[in-house]
Every structure is written in C-alpha cells, then in structure tokens.
Amino acid sequence: MMGCWILNESLSIILVLSWLGVNLYLFINTFYWYEEEESFLYTRVILGSTLAWARASAVCLNFNCMLILLPVSRNLISFMRGTSACFRGPWRRQLDKNLKFHKLVAYGIVINATIHVGAHLFNLEHYYWSQSPEAEGLVAALSKLGDTPNETYLNPIRTFHTNTITELLTTIAGITGLLISLALILIMTSSTEFIRQVSYELFWYTHHVFIIFFIGLAIHGAGRIVRGQTPESLLLHNITLCRDHPEEWQVRCPVPQFSGKEPSAWKWVLGPMVLYACERIIRFWRFQQEVIITKVVSHPSGVLELCMKKRDFKMAPGQYVLIQCPSISTLEWHPFTLTSAPQEDFFSVHIRAAGDWTEALCKAFGVEGQPLKEPWSLPRLAVDGPFGAALTDVFHYRVSMCIAAGIGVTPFAALLKSIWYQCCEAQTQCKLNKVYFYWICRDPGAFEWFADLLLALETKMSEQGKAHFLSYHIFLTGWDENQAFHIALHWDENADVITGLRQKTYYGRPNWNHEFQQVAFSHPSSNIGVFFCGPKALSKILQKMCRVYSSADPRGVHFYYNRESF
Amino acid sequence: MGQIEWAMWANEQALASGLILITGGIVATAGQFTQWYLGAYSIAAGVLVCLLEYPRGKRSKGSTMERCGQKYLTRVVKLFGPLTRNYYIRAFLHLGLAVPAGFLLATILGTACLAIASGIYLLAAIRGEQWSPIEPKPKERPQIGGTIKQPPSNPPPRPPAEARKKPSEEAAGVPTGGPQENPMPVNDEVV
C-alpha cells in the first residue's frame, strides 16, 4: 500500500525523467555517431562538430514531434482509458495530465530547434568560407569536388559569389526550415497563459499553424544536403592514407564520392499525423450526428442549463464533452463537464457566461430577460465526447472526500446524482459507503440550481434510511454585515436560512486541518480518495493536507489526491 | 474573434523577436561570420526591443497580469509619452529596426518575427488600441474615524439600528423607527 502511495506521487516524475532520458540517449548517441563515423570524416573536415550538434538535435526533434500530437488526441486517450485492464489507478491519473505533457514536449521542441538552427547557421557559414579563394588544403579540395562531370559534390554551396541568405532560400531545407521556425514561434507566442486568458480564440486558431509545421517538417530533408561518403567510395578511397595528400587524389587515390542522407523525419511523424487526422475526422463525424435539445433552463447568476439527447451516448460521472455551435463559430469546440447522471436518459451541461463564446451562447439561448425562444429557433449544437476524467475513481474507495470551489461543483453534480441513483437500487452494492462533500462558494445566488439537487438528495437519503451516507458542508465566502446579522438571528432554527437545507451553511473558508483531522479520526484505517475541482491555490493546500494527514503506517488512514482540471 | 486585443499578442511576439535577434546576433558575432557587424547591430536592436516591450500594457477590460519586475521599466517607457503610447509609431519602429538585420543569415529569423510583430501592431493601431501603463494601486490609507458611524442619539435600551430592517421585520415585537419614547419619565439619578 505504501509503495502504491509513493508510486502515486512519483509516477509523473518517473515519466518525465524517462522522457528526458530518451532525449538524452538519442542526443548523445547521435552526437557520437556523427563525430566518429568514417563516412562523415570529410564532412567534419569542413564543418567541425557543429555537424554532430545539428544532427543530434534533429533526431531529438523527430522524437518530440512524434510525441507532441499524441497527448492532444482526445479520442485516443479516451480509448486507452476505456481499456481499463491496462490502465488502472496511478496510470489512469497520468492520462489526465496530457496537456502538461504536451507543453513539456513543446518546450523540448523549442530547445532542440534552437540548437539545431544555431548549429546549421555555423554549418552554412563554414560551407561558404570553404569556397573562398583563401581556403586551402583539404578543405579547398573537398569543396572543389563536383565541378567535373564524374564527381559528386560534398559542399552544397558551389561558389563564393553568393551569400548565405541566397543559398538558404534556394534550398528546400532552407525554405522549409525558415517556415517551420516561424510557425513554431507564432504558436509559442500565442500560447502563453496570458494570451490564452485574453483571447482563447486567438490561441486556438493560431495553433492550427501546426499543419504548416508538420508538412514543412516532412519535406525538410528532401534536398538531401547532409552529405556523407558512399560505402563503395569508402572501400576504394583509403581515408587514413589519402586525407593528407589531397593534391594527389587524381593520381593515387580515387576521388571520394558522396551522397545525401535520406530524409527521415517523415518516418517518425507519419504515424501520429495519421492518428491525429483520424481524431479530427472522428470529431467531424460526431459533429454531423444529431443532437436534440430537450430542455433549456436559465438559472440565476447567468448559468445556462442545456439538456440534450444523442444516439448511443454513454457517459460516466465526471466526464466532459466538447460543444460546438456553428452559428457562433464554425471552428471552436469548448469543453463542459456533464452535470447529469449516467442513469438518466438525457445528458446536461451547465454553462456560465465567462468569455466571448459562452456569452454569445447564453444570448442565443435566451438567457436573462430575453423573450422565450421557440424550440425550432434554437441554434443547432454539435457534441463530441464524452471524454474521461478522474471522478470515476470515486466509487473505488470506501470513503471519498469531494471538494468543489465555485463553478468547480459541476462534475460533482453528476457524481452526486449518480450516487443518488445507485442508492435507490438497493440490489447493487456500492463499495463506497461514505461521502463528504465540501462546496466553497462566493455568491449565494449561484446556490439555486445546486441547492435543489441537494434538497432532493437529502430527502431521498433519509427516506431510504441512509441519512448518514452523504455529509455535506457548504461554505459561503462572500458575505457582508447585513447577511451576518440576518444569519445570526436565525442560527437556532432547524433549516438553514439561505439554502433551506437541514445542514447548516458555514461562513468563511473551511479550516482544512480541522476537517482532515475529523475525517482521519472517523475512518482510522481506510483509503480515502480526495477529489477536487477548483483553483490551483486551493489544490496545493489540499495536496499538503493529504500528505500531512496520511499516516506512515501502511494499515493506517491514507488520503489519495485527485485533481480535475481543464 | 471581434474582441481580441491584438496589441497583447503583438507584445508577446515582439518580445520573442527581440530575444531571437539577440541570440542570432550573439551567434554571428561569436562565430565571426561574414558581415558580423550586422550581428552586433542586431544584439543592440534586440536589447532595445526587449526593453521597450517588457512592460506589458494594460488591457482595456479585465485585469492584466504584470510581468515580473516590470514596474521599473514601466516608469521609463511612460516617460516617452506619445512615442511609446502610439502603436503606429511602434509598428514603424519595429519594421525599421528589423530591416538591417535581414541582411545577415543568423538574424533573418529575428527580422521575420519582428516584421510580423510590426504587422500585428499596425492592426492594433488601426483598431484604435493604445499602450497604457499598469499603475500600482495607491495604498488605501485607513481613514481615521471612517468606520465610526453616527453615535447613538438616544440612551439605552435602544432599538436595533435602522440598517437592520430585514431581520427586525422577521423578529416580531422589535420596534422600528426613530428615537425611543420612554413610557415613563427617566431621571438621571447621579448625585
């Protein structure tokens, strides 16, 4: 059990180190190959070790470009999650960190691209200098190769009466290299966290420049300008004897022959490109499938609830869908957590207006004071998904703590409903027998749609005699003096004055030490799953609490932390 | 896409271009490439661009994340007034700075990126955007006596204050309204 806990926390570190290890292995291996390899000896005479730097970083680039499309193939990841035999427990949680991995690989690409470009700048300059009239000896002799009809060339720059820029722009490798570097820089500058906040659309649209990136990458090596000696020439031309006497090559040694290296980038990236193309095709096909909107509810504080039906739609609590509204934007898909339980015959999402697209959607569905819309005038929606996330693990623990901050309550809405349905069916045995639910919220108006759910649950549980199954605590963090007086006056009543629920609302933030202590005390030898959806700062606090209150004894209480994020 | 503040992206792009110009310039100068003096120029141009672009401008709506330690440079950039506020000037400045670096291979990528940034700034300028500095909020000095309300105008026992109308409606039997009318005369019995 304790090994499992260590594995939990460090699996991410292990995976990152493995990725780094593979990168270093590829880099160092390729570097030494190009430094020692005989067929590139003459190339090294002109270029020096910048050849090895350029080639080593190129191999790392190939590796990383292969990896980068995989974490964003959502349907592939869902498929991997579905095959639960292979992906249990800690491995499943790693699949939730796909975006972090995508960013890590992107940084890897940038670093290797910088090394690659820098090294090739030196290479081009060295090739250019070796054509100058001042070059002498072996370097000059090698550069002259290719001038006569029976010779193959080594130096791609054939004359001194040119400049490196012209040479760059007249080669496939040069043009594609410039293009893909520009594409990479545009992607990076539009993907910073600030720009994603300012305008998600800009980030999303500019990111599609990756198509140019991958096409450029695939044809980047087509010019075959990395040249090494052919194997046949190596047999005929003895390097150790002949390298010191270039003036005698026509006489004693046969002239060395060179050939260009085959492009290899396409071999690395073809698979993932095909997979990603399939991913986009699946999304397009799902877009074509009909989505019927069965109910539209407008809740206070600008929350829109949409209930929909779609053929063959199966979900689990905690999963999310991507929604597209063609009348607002043809290219954007936005993620929303499902708030309905799998046992219901429809699926629903609760959307809050928090940006251009969501505001336009709320307006299109007639939120806040606009006249009621007829069902046939509602805009068409397309839904892709559902895509999996961590909450399906809640049922694998005997005790679970679910903590939601603000709008982060949405995955837990689905979960609590699902728990409700499972409690009704007395035949099915849940492993889960206690749920602690904490909701931290600023605005009491936002309570309304969720308060109804909690009220219904409260009634249901006490009817079934399972009143102690669910223990929930609501924390209202934004209150003023007037409210405080009002609440103080009604403190002794049975139902809470704001929500009408039997369990009282607390004011201010929770004291996590106290909460975790209580839970640990009540369940001394259990594994407790902690599930959180909300801001990072609180996530860090909760992770710390889980570490502090997990006992060192393998038979004692253990808190396992799971975070939900988009 | 209508609400995008293009200047924000132009700023990120220009900052990145500045760094690329510096890197390309260092490679060219250290390697003593042909026309390496253009490399030296591009290091200087890159540094200028980075200094100009480091302080992020304020968004027209919403809050802006400041870059670490940008307030010192904000003060300097603010000094130039309209030269740094106006995005047309920035667009042409960047274009002008980019051109000489375009003649050296090592810095050609920097030129292309800075030219793109210049184009985005031009777009931002056409849409009427402007650079405004992010000012630190003046510290709210605690007002002495500000939270002390009107002292009570009548002796105890007092009704709940006017402001507490809501609870006082619910709680029955608590009188509302102005000064208390004493049912019998009250004398001050201090000798």
Side-chain angles (χ1 to χ4, degrees), chain A residues 121-122 124-125 128-129 164-165 168 178 181-182 185-186 189-190 192 194-195 198-199 202 205 356 486 489, chain B residues 1 3-4 8-9 12-13 16 20 27 31-34 56 59 64 102-106 109 113 166-167:
Chain A
L121 285 174
F122 277 98
L124 261 175
E125 199 67 26
Y128 178 63
W129 283 341
T164 44
I165 297 183
L168 181 93
L178 188 59
S181 306
L182 269 176
I185 291 168
L186 283 175
T189 55
S190 60
T192 61
F194 179 63
I195 297 287
V198 168
S199 169
L202 178 69
Y205 288 125
D356 283 349
H486 186 200
L489 274 164
Chain B
M1 286 265 271
Q3 305 305 325
I4 299 179
M8 298 291 129
W9 185 31
E12 300 277 334
Q13 180 71 14
I20 295 170
V27 164
Q32 294 280 294
F33 290 178
T34 332
R56 212 176 248 149
R59 283 173 68 184
T64 321
F103 291 99
L104 177 65
L105 178 64
L109 187 60
C113 291
K166 202 159 103 181

Side-chain angles (χ1 to χ4, degrees), chain A residues 55 153 170-177 215-227 259-266:
Chain A
R55 293 305 312 151
Y153 69 94
T170 49
T171 51
I172 295 179
I175 300 175
T176 52
I215 295 175
L217 184 67
I219 55 180
H220 186 59
R224 293 174 167 80
I225 63 172
V226 176
R227 302 181 71 81
S259 65
K261 190 182 162 303
E262 291 276 313
S264 59
W266 67 272

Side-chain angles (χ1 to χ4, degrees), chain B residues 115-178:
Chain B
I116 293 176
S118 157
I120 309 173
Y121 265 129
L122 192 63
L123 180 59
I126 292 173
R127 286 168 45 91
E129 293 175 32
Q130 264 206 340
W131 186 85
S132 41
I134 302 178
E135 303 285 345
K137 274 198 280 279
K139 273 212 183 80
E140 278 176 27
R141 299 180 66 224
Q143 284 177 2
I144 304 160
T147 51
I148 299 174
K149 297 192 180 67
Q150 252 319 315
S153 53
N154 43 317
R158 284 187 282 271
E162 260 71 278
R164 302 172 201 176
K165 281 228 163 63
K166 202 159 103 181
S168 56
E169 280 167 16
E170 308 268 345
V174 177
T176 56

Side-chain angles (χ1 to χ4, degrees), chain A residues 49-98:
Chain A
S49 39
T50 45
L51 169 71
W53 281 100
R55 293 305 312 151
S57 55
V59 172
C60 286
L61 275 171
N62 285 339
F63 174 61
N64 285 311
C65 290
M66 173 184 78
L67 287 181
I68 195 141
L69 285 176
L70 301 176
V72 288
S73 302
R74 279 192 199 94
N75 287 290
L76 171 69
I77 293 178
S78 275
F79 174 73
M80 280 162 74
R81 264 209 203 90
T83 55
S84 52
C86 317
F87 285 95
R88 282 257 91 184
W91 292 96
R92 266 264 193 84
R93 274 187 276 281
Q94 295 311 314
L95 287 176
D96 300 330
K97 299 190 185 172
N98 56 335

